Amino acid sequence: MANEFMIQFENVSKQYKNSQNPAVKNLSVGILPGEFITILGGSGSGKTTVLKMINRIIEPSGGTIFFKGQDIMTLEPDKLRREIGYVIQQSGLFPHMTVEDNIALLPDCLKQDRKKTRERVRELLRLVRLEPGQYKDRYPRQLSGGQQQRVSIARALVADPDVMLMDEPFGAIDALIRIELQEELKDIHKQFGKTILFVTHDVHEAMRLGTRVMVMKEGVLQQFDTPANVLLNKENQYVADIVGNRGEIQRLLMLNARDLAKPYAPGDQGPQIEIDAEMEQAFDLFMSDKNVDKIILVENAKPVLTLSRDDILIKR
Amino acid sequence: MLEYIGKYYDQIFTMLVDHCKLVFVSILISFVLAFALSIVARRFKAMSGVLLALFIGVYCIPSLALFAFLIPFFGLGQPTAILALVLYNQVLLIRSILAAFKSVPSSVSEAAKGMGIGFLNGLRKVELPLALPAILGGLRVATISTSGIVTVAALINAGGLGVLLFDGIRTNNFDKIWLGVILVCSFTLLLNWGLSVLEKRSLRIARGER
């Protein structure tokens, strides 16, 4: 059973020495390969602790964490960490190394072929949309905050890990650039099918990025579900609070169109939008033309999902 | 004074060489020991307090008293002098090495750790280059202090420029005293200058301003 999960928490707790309450309490969740999990919570919710226990930056005080079916405490920490990319808020770039050396540090330490590594660095820089010729010899202080995080993501990807842990990576980036980085991260996730765990305190970010959202409060998991179900949940008062006391339509607007769509059935007809479109775009279409009952979500020009007017405006 | 130098230049040269030797050897041993102790203290936090308390205690002992205390065990001469200097330097060096590592941003250390490059690689390639400017700053202070204290070692037959000073005092020979002072000061200032050049250079490297 444990083997189908990429990462599994079994009754995991963390009690820090100088604190009364546990930072994480009896957490049991399974994360499937390829999921993009956002961990949402305020400060002191234990969200970062959950993340850092996976690569043993923090050691759990109780319970078991499995990585690909193996108890992580039985694995050698450095070996485990090499299979997990790690991106943190203040980028953690090494200020005394060029962009290229930052990204190449792990393969260089493992004495891998230098030429291949340099080629890999170029490939990764292009992936995070930094022109290698222009950026590889720069030092971190010569980069903007957004560019630093791009390099940090490239560095985390260098060993082609199956899992990426990201601790509020875009927390200190201004709004416009943040949205750009979020979109690119989504693309990277889609392109490579990595399993991503992403800590954030930003509701929009959690909803926009996650395939599932873990909502944490005071070390206890409140809800672990799709963005749609978290947003529309009315039973859990805490979830309602963190999501905000907005009207339902405004909550819906935080979702992507696909979150409430159903599989496309032959015969469905209506205007087409891209599969990644935000809910706002679908709303605009429904609002601007009363005759539109269905919107077709297409991927590579192929219809994949259907979003019905009923799904978002009437049925709840 | 010039007359004196002309007459005894070979003896003065020997004293200068002894002085250099004492300073370099004791700084080298001090640094290696302090670095090793600091690395251990970083891993076992409780140890740093114990070590610092111990060596602050040692540092409080006046140099003559410490020499007197060590002579019954190690005799007169350079080894005893070097041992005393190494003991004195520990508190200066351990403190500055620990502070230097603490000054490395935690996000940087954590990123290195999270990569899985291992403790030694993390130390050698990431933390040490960033801590180096502050470590060299501490080393500079320790070197200056050593070059001063080493003159007292002349009293226990360890040689060095202190011989000039004490001879001068004993025989009321001001030329000797002045010569000793000028040589010790110039030597110390030279070391200070050399180390501060290294320190500045390491700072530029740590900031990525090569």
Side-chain angles (χ1 to χ4, degrees):
Chain A
M1 183 63 191
N3 286 331
E4 72 182 87
F5 291 119
M6 181 63 88
I7 291 162
Q8 191 189 7
F9 284 76
E10 218 176 70
N11 208 20
V12 174
S13 295
K14 174 65 188 181
Q15 173 74 53
Y16 289 110
K17 264 185 212 144
N18 302 320
S19 142
Q20 279 201 316
N21 301 313
V24 175
K25 220 159 138 185
N26 304 329
L27 178 69
S28 295
V29 292
I31 292 154
L32 294 165
E35 283 200 279
F36 194 141
I37 305 296
T38 47
I39 307 176
L40 177 65
S43 58
S45 62
K47 57 188 193 302
T48 298
T49 305
V50 168
L51 192 81
K52 291 185 178 178
M53 284 194 289
I54 297 170
N55 63 352
R56 289 184 63 177
I57 296 288
I58 295 173
E59 311 241 305
S61 27
T64 316
I65 301 172
F66 296 96
F67 177 73
K68 297 182 182 173
Q70 283 179 292
D71 177 355
I72 59 163
M73 297 312 283
T74 66
L75 300 169
E76 201 203 313
D78 284 324
K79 238 170 147 182
L80 170 74
R81 289 170 187 150
R82 275 178 233 145
E83 291 191 52
I84 299 176
Y86 189 40
V87 181
I88 49 186
Q89 182 172 4
Q90 305 91 337
S91 91
L93 290 181
F94 309 134
H96 60 301
M97 293 185 193
T98 60
V99 164
E100 180 172 47
D101 290 342
N102 261 282
I103 300 174
L105 182 62
L106 176 60
D108 283 352
C109 282
L110 299 176
K111 308 251 183 310
Q112 289 176 2
D113 183 76
R114 267 188 107 77
K115 238 177 101 187
K116 267 191 202 148
T117 301
R118 303 288 125 163
E119 194 38 57
R120 173 92 179 130
V121 169
R122 290 172 167 274
E123 187 185 303
L124 286 167
L125 281 174
R126 275 184 222 111
L127 179 71
V128 296
R129 302 195 191 163
L130 294 172
E131 176 49 45
Q134 196 181 342
Y135 289 101
K136 76 177 174 55
D137 293 325
R138 289 207 191 174
Y139 286 92
R141 68 182 174 86
Q142 297 166 312
L143 303 175
S144 69
Q147 291 168 337
Q148 287 186 12
Q149 282 308 7
R150 285 166 198 267
V151 175
S152 190
I153 291 171
R155 187 174 69 176
L157 285 167
V158 72
D160 200 18
D162 291 324
V163 175
M164 296 267 280
L165 304 181
M166 310 183 83
D167 186 11
E168 303 209 36
F170 308 146
I173 311 281
D174 67 76
L176 277 176
I177 308 284
R178 192 186 317 160
I179 290 173
E180 215 176 287
L181 285 166
Q182 287 168 348
E183 288 308 314
E184 288 172 29
L185 184 61
K186 264 165 92 172
D187 286 346
I188 289 172
H189 174 248
K190 212 161 65 181
Q191 198 178 338
F192 299 101
K194 307 258 179 230
T195 309
I196 300 181
L197 283 91
F198 185 110
V199 164
T200 179
H201 61 259
D202 176 342
V203 183
H204 280 90
E205 188 167 67
M207 300 302 156
R208 181 176 290 132
L209 293 176
T211 55
R212 282 201 289 168
V213 183
M214 276 173 75
V215 183
M216 300 282 301
K217 184 201 179 185
E218 289 168 7
V220 181
L221 179 66
Q222 307 292 313
Q223 197 179 1
F224 186 29
D225 212 330
T226 60
N229 286 339
V230 170
L231 277 178
L232 304 178
N233 176 307
K234 289 178 187 160
E235 278 134 47
N236 188 327
Q237 187 52 43
Y238 178 70
V239 173
D241 285 349
I242 199 168
V243 164
N245 259 333
R246 300 180 178 85
E248 293 205 355
I249 289 181
Q250 274 167 326
R251 285 197 197 179
L252 280 176
L253 285 176
M254 285 194 231
L255 293 172
N256 294 311
R258 67 190 306 170
D259 291 332
L260 289 178
K262 294 180 178 132
Y264 170 80
D268 286 349
Q269 278 187 353
Q272 298 190 336
I273 58 175
E274 283 298 315
I275 187 137
D276 287 333
E278 292 188 6
M279 192 60 86
E280 206 173 334
Q281 205 184 335
F283 257 92
D284 287 347
L285 283 170
F286 283 132
M287 292 304 187
S288 60
D289 186 348
K290 276 191 180 165
N291 295 322
V292 172
D293 273 329
K294 288 184 164 73
I295 294 173
I296 314 298
L297 274 57
V298 296
E299 187 170 26
N300 302 327
K302 265 197 203 144
V304 187
L305 297 169
T306 304
L307 183 67
S308 305
R309 182 183 285 268
D310 297 352
D311 288 338
I312 60 171
L313 291 183
I314 297 168
K315 204 193 94 190
R316 189 68 70 246
Chain B
M1 197 195 301
L2 284 175
E3 197 186 318
Y4 179 82
I5 297 174
K7 215 164 159 191
Y8 296 108
Y9 68 91
D10 53 338
Q11 283 179 26
I12 296 168
F13 186 71
T14 312
M15 288 175 203
L16 188 62
V17 169
D18 276 347
H19 195 91
C20 285
K21 225 166 68 186
L22 282 168
V23 171
F24 281 120
V25 172
S26 46
I27 279 296
L28 189 72
I29 298 173
S30 300
F31 185 74
V32 172
L33 181 65
F35 195 81
L37 288 174
S38 304
I39 298 297
V40 177
R42 274 188 84 212
R43 291 213 122 177
F44 308 97
K45 296 265 145 61
M47 239 190 90
S48 61
V50 176
L51 279 177
L52 285 176
L54 177 74
F55 286 118
I56 282 179
V58 171
Y59 199 71
C60 288
I61 306 172
S63 50
L64 264 179
L66 186 60
F67 287 138
F69 177 73
L70 292 174
I71 287 168
F73 302 100
F74 302 98
L76 292 169
Q78 294 194 346
T80 308
I82 290 171
L83 179 62
L85 292 166
V86 168
L87 288 175
Y88 277 132
N89 282 330
Q90 291 314 298
V91 69
L92 300 175
L93 288 172
I94 292 176
R95 268 187 82 105
S96 67
I97 293 170
L98 287 177
F101 278 114
K102 238 181 212 160
S103 73
V104 177
S106 60
S107 61
V108 170
S109 315
E110 197 179 303
K113 191 177 174 188
M115 253 182 199
I117 52 174
F119 173 72
L120 275 182
N121 275 322
L123 185 68
R124 202 161 52 97
K125 302 206 163 158
V126 179
E127 292 183 297
L128 191 55
L130 296 176
L132 199 58
I135 291 177
L136 287 176
L139 185 66
R140 192 153 62 92
V141 173
T143 306
I144 293 166
S145 134
T146 300
S147 184
I149 301 175
V150 97
T151 53
V152 182
L155 284 182
I156 60 163
N157 260 347
L161 294 169
V163 175
L164 272 180
L165 295 174
F166 285 115
D167 278 1
I169 291 169
R170 209 171 44 237
T171 59
N172 232 0
N173 182 338
F174 279 88
D175 279 356
K176 268 192 173 180
I177 296 177
W178 275 115
L179 182 63
V181 167
I182 290 167
L183 284 178
V184 171
C185 286
S186 332
F187 175 71
T188 309
L189 285 172
L190 190 73
L191 283 178
N192 181 47
W193 172 79
L195 280 167
S196 62
V197 168
L198 284 181
E199 194 181 326
K200 274 181 198 136
R201 195 175 146 62
S202 70
L203 189 63
R204 277 204 308 278
I205 290 174
R207 285 188 183 150
E209 292 174 2
R210 253 172 288 199

